[in-house]
Amino acid sequence: QLLEYWKHELGGGAARLLEVVASVYPDSIQRSEAAEQANLSGQSGTFATYLARLRALELVKGSGELKASDEFFE
């Protein structure tokens, strides 16, 4: 339920990115692979902004390899 809340709250690309990262939990996913699966360019400023927002909200950890917060799965 917490994951669904945040996906709704974030919307758009940030929600897609969160969904991709959460889908591989408890494993992590390479940044480039997460971007591709979320239909984003991993080199774009937009992707960097989405990722920075997810990290600031402590929903995602990491930079090269991304992992969803454990709180979603407790």
Side-chain angles (χ1 to χ4, degrees):
Q1 289 178 346
L2 183 59
L3 180 60
E4 291 304 316
Y5 166 82
W6 277 110
K7 285 175 13 185
H8 176 75
E9 192 70 22
L10 294 164
R16 290 195 314 270
L17 182 56
L18 178 58
E19 184 170 23
V20 166
V21 175
S23 73
V24 299
Y25 185 87
D27 296 323
S28 57
I29 186 170
Q30 289 292 323
R31 176 186 175 125
S32 58
E33 188 177 338
E36 183 179 321
Q37 288 185 28
N39 295 318
L40 299 165
S41 169
Q43 304 302 318
S44 72
T46 303
F47 176 79
T49 300
Y50 291 153
L51 185 53
R53 184 168 182 209
L54 293 175
R55 276 198 230 125
L57 292 167
E58 299 182 357
L59 303 176
V60 169
K61 301 179 237 178
S63 56
E65 288 195 9
L66 308 177
K67 184 175 180 181
S69 171
D70 297 327
E71 292 180 18
F72 289 123
F73 303 96
E74 292 179 342

